[in-house]
Amino acid sequence: MTDKNPQEGNIFEDVKDEVVGIAKGGAKHPGTKPVLTGATVGAVAGALLPVVTWPVGLIAGVGIAIYSRVKK
């Protein structure tokens, strides 16, 4: 049985809307700067860690930044 809280939206729809908004709005979208900052921090962290490469860190940083924007 899947009883879902009506206050709780679909996280995938929210993330999709955020990504589409960033893609359409470019630098003017309010989510662009935090997502780019997350990408940079993730890439640097990935480059410094011995097991993770910078592309993996970049993707993780973008994912965390978008998730944190959507959950607000």
Side-chain angles (χ1 to χ4, degrees):
M1 185 180 241
T2 57
D3 290 333
K4 207 169 187 193
N5 186 357
Q7 306 290 331
E8 186 179 321
N10 186 356
I11 188 76
F12 297 110
E13 284 293 320
D14 294 341
V15 168
K16 184 189 86 157
D17 292 341
E18 184 70 16
V19 170
V20 169
I22 290 172
K24 286 184 178 179
K28 295 178 183 176
H29 191 275
T32 302
K33 186 175 180 181
V35 170
L36 290 177
T37 302
T40 303
V41 169
V44 169
L48 296 176
L49 294 173
V51 177
V52 180
T53 61
W54 70 266
V56 174
L58 183 133
I59 292 168
V62 168
I64 291 169
I66 289 177
Y67 181 76
S68 67
R69 280 198 46 84
V70 169
K71 288 307 278 183
K72 284 185 178 180

